Amino acid sequence: MRGIARALLALFAGALAVPAFAPVGWFPLAFLSLALLVGLLERADSARAGFCLGLAWGMGAFCAGVSWLVIALSRYGGVFLPVAVLVVFLFCAFLSLYPALAGAFYARWRRGSTLRRALFFAGLWVLVEWLRGTLFTGFPWLAIGYSQTPPSPVAGYFPIMGVYGLGGVLAFVAGLLGICATDQAGARAVGRWRVPAVLIALICIGGWGLSRLQWVEPDGEPFTVSLVQTNIEQSLKWDPDFFDETLRINADLVHAARGDVVVLPEAALPTMLDRLPESYLDMLTGFVRERNGALVIGVFTRDGTQYSNSAVTFGEGAGQRYSKSHLVPFGEYSPPFFGWFYRLASIPMAQQTPGAANQPPLWLFGRKIAVNICYEDVFGAELVSSLPQAGLMLNLSNLAWYGDSFAQPQHLQIARARAMETGRPMLRSTNTGMTALVLPDGSVPAALPAFTRGVLEVEVSAYKGLTPYARWGDAPVLVVALIGIVAGVGIRRREKLPVFAGEGGLQDTIRDPRRLESVLDAIDET
């Protein structure tokens, strides 16, 4: 029963992390959630127990945090609701294997002082989150560092170490809290909290100070961008009877836009580019040509029988194209041995061809703009490949798949992290939300309400310079994490040997077999 109670508490601790993310944004809960996990792991007496606790924490976090995937599968993907729930549950169980591995290693190998154990946990956490965001194309959604966008006092670490490094900082602080709270000797001795308290204070002050540093600066005069939000229901988007209305809505919004660059969201025109009437494209181009402007359209392009999810330019800088390179498994392509999934689902345009890696930025209105499409902005290490050439970043998305859920505000929070990591503004044009401008300090000065139709007119500058993260990526953080793991595993508990001189010394020890046994045990452990 004790094991079951601890597993339930770990499940609760994982679910407690979700309100730390957008839209709730109670960022201190992320510290509390991990601290509870560390406290439970401190009482785990085996790798198996640690694995179960980490698995339970993961199930609480992912089942509560990405449950919106059920909407995409059941409401719009044609999957029977109970089957959709089961598929998402199994997916969450797979994601939970990563914190489970961290829990197993920590329970088995934790050694040394409070500080060293906290470093060990932080190193493990960085490694498993990085693996979750990398293996099998990766799914880094809900990486714990995303919860610390402003106003968190540690948000200033984003430009230095990225989301995984910031997650390590959070895990280190949570480790200190969890270990000290569990150590009964430390709970009775207030002095044991002094060093952790000082370290936590220094980390928070350091984050606040780093947020005041200017890693990048504006480059050239500002210009205006019109970010279009079409707000077309996903059930209508691919309906042939609604196609003409879709074209009309897009044309009206482009005509109303006044920016130097006008952007339509991902798959705004739900067909192949070569199937669109040439007169229609000429009409859209004419709306922006009057002011020598540029138009970016989210549309599918094809090469023979293969097709890609693309952003294509018209007007000034016409003829450029970016095609999505990091595709979503099951939604945009079928992984090997999973063809059966598509026999259960009905997902349009589900066998896409990825674009080339490291495609050059688009040259628009005298600025280089790096484009990414929807899910791609979750992968920070991939986005920095366009720097320092690109002065801005542009994301085209369609989150109508997930209805009115946490997906939209969570995605905007991810964009805020990317802007801080790269030191570049992130422009977002979406179908149903969140269409917004995100500045390099993580602030969102302008955004359209979700599920409304309109055009967001923003004035923005390109930026130059490189943040430390844009320069070095995740490599330094991973090296530090591995050092913390190796140091944690290599530290042995050292017991203080009994005194061999004076009263109770060597002679008394030899006479008392119990004391002699304790000496031998201490030597063996040392």
Side-chain angles (χ1 to χ4, degrees):
M1 288 299 294
R2 181 178 297 178
I4 294 175
R6 289 178 179 176
L8 290 174
L9 184 55
L11 186 77
F12 168 76
L16 189 65
V18 176
F21 296 88
V24 181
W26 293 346
F27 63 86
L29 290 180
F31 294 89
L32 179 59
S33 172
L34 282 187
L36 286 172
L37 175 61
V38 173
L40 291 169
L41 291 173
E42 280 290 307
R43 298 182 182 277
D45 55 4
S46 66
R48 180 180 178 181
F51 183 92
C52 292
L53 289 172
L55 186 72
W57 187 96
M59 291 300 292
F62 296 118
C63 287
V66 297
S67 57
W68 36 263
L69 290 170
V70 173
I71 299 174
L73 292 178
S74 63
R75 185 183 302 175
Y76 303 118
V79 178
F80 186 45
L81 179 59
V83 176
V85 172
L86 176 61
V87 168
V88 173
F89 178 83
L90 293 175
F91 179 63
C92 292
F94 168 74
L95 297 178
S96 300
L97 293 176
Y98 293 98
L101 288 174
F105 274 89
Y106 185 81
R108 172 64 180 85
W109 295 105
R110 68 185 188 276
R111 292 187 175 93
S113 65
T114 297
L115 178 60
R116 285 166 175 159
R117 298 209 301 275
L119 286 171
F120 182 45
F121 178 75
L124 288 171
W125 197 262
V126 169
L127 184 60
V128 297
E129 286 212 317
W130 178 81
L131 289 173
R132 177 164 67 86
T134 305
L135 295 180
F136 312 112
T137 77
F139 188 79
W141 206 283
L142 289 189
I144 201 72
Y146 285 127
S147 65
Q148 301 304 302
T149 51
S152 169
V154 297
Y157 292 104
F158 271 114
I160 307 291
M161 56 185 67
V163 69
Y164 296 127
L166 186 50
V169 170
L170 195 154
F172 175 68
V173 171
L176 292 175
L177 295 173
I179 295 166
C180 285
T182 309
D183 187 344
Q184 294 184 7
R188 289 194 301 267
V190 177
R192 292 286 297 274
W193 286 86
R194 288 175 183 169
V195 173
V198 170
L199 287 173
I200 293 170
L202 289 175
I203 288 170
C204 293
I205 293 172
W208 176 84
L210 288 171
S211 67
R212 267 57 184 171
L213 295 180
Q214 300 296 323
W215 301 103
V216 295
E217 60 182 355
D219 183 19
E221 295 297 319
F223 65 110
T224 57
V225 181
S226 299
L227 302 169
V228 174
Q229 185 167 289
T230 47
N231 193 37
I232 296 176
E233 168 70 28
Q234 188 63 29
S235 61
L236 298 174
K237 192 171 185 65
W238 298 96
D239 185 347
D241 295 334
F242 198 75
F243 182 71
D244 289 341
E245 180 66 9
T246 297
L247 296 185
R248 184 195 66 78
I249 291 171
N250 280 273
D252 289 347
L253 291 170
V254 172
H255 185 259
R258 292 293 175 263
D260 301 314
V261 177
V262 180
V263 184
L264 290 174
E266 176 188 17
L269 304 178
T271 186
M272 298 294 174
L273 178 63
D274 57 10
R275 287 186 178 178
L276 287 168
E278 188 172 339
S279 59
Y280 180 77
L281 293 174
D282 288 341
M283 178 181 65
L284 295 184
T285 304
F287 293 149
V288 298
R289 186 177 291 142
E290 297 173 358
R291 53 186 180 276
N292 297 318
L295 174 64
V296 181
I297 298 178
V299 66
F300 285 93
T301 59
R302 63 180 168 183
D303 182 10
T305 58
Q306 298 180 330
Y307 56 89
S308 300
N309 189 353
S310 302
V312 183
T313 62
F314 297 86
E316 190 268 341
Q320 301 175 83
R321 184 177 79 177
Y322 171 83
S323 295
K324 187 175 184 180
S325 62
H326 199 133
L327 303 181
V328 180
F330 307 107
E332 295 175 333
Y333 79 98
S334 174
F337 311 112
F338 281 91
W340 57 268
F341 176 78
Y342 285 101
R343 292 191 288 272
L344 296 175
S346 177
I347 302 175
M349 312 302 282
Q351 293 292 348
Q352 300 173 23
T353 300
N358 301 323
Q359 298 172 63
L362 304 183
W363 184 264
L364 296 172
F365 209 75
R367 282 83 170 175
K368 287 187 176 181
I369 302 177
V371 177
N372 54 86
I373 296 179
C374 199
Y375 177 68
E376 288 186 306
D377 68 350
V378 180
F379 302 92
E382 296 179 8
L383 266 60
V384 299
S385 64
S386 63
L387 305 178
Q389 292 80 13
L392 302 108
M393 311 197 86
L394 172 63
N395 177 268
L396 281 63
S397 289
N398 174 30
L399 296 185
W401 284 99
Y402 309 112
D404 187 3
S405 68
F406 285 174
Q408 292 180 341
Q410 285 175 356
H411 201 186
L412 178 59
Q413 187 172 44
I414 290 170
R416 296 175 67 193
R418 291 292 90 83
M420 298 182 73
E421 287 175 350
T422 60
R424 298 295 186 269
M426 177 72 82
L427 299 158
R428 306 188 75 241
S429 176
T430 70
N431 179 14
T432 55
M434 307 281 292
T435 298
L437 166 65
V438 184
L439 295 180
D441 62 359
S443 63
V444 184
L448 287 178
F451 301 101
T452 60
R453 182 172 298 156
V455 180
L456 181 65
E457 306 281 2
V458 297
E459 186 176 76
V460 64
S461 294
Y463 276 71
K464 62 181 179 181
L466 288 175
T467 64
Y469 179 79
R471 191 178 301 275
W472 303 109
D474 293 320
V477 169
L478 292 174
V479 170
V480 173
L482 290 173
I483 291 173
I485 292 171
V486 171
V489 171
I491 296 297
R492 296 274 182 184
R493 287 193 185 97
R494 295 191 176 273
E495 299 287 345
K496 189 173 182 179
L497 297 180
V499 179
F500 288 95
E503 183 179 355
L506 178 59
Q507 187 175 7
D508 289 343
T509 299
I510 294 174
R511 290 175 180 171
D512 187 346
R514 291 174 300 177
R515 295 193 62 190
L516 181 60
E517 183 180 1
S518 68
V519 171
L520 295 174
D521 288 341
I523 293 173
D524 180 64
E525 290 187 15
T526 303

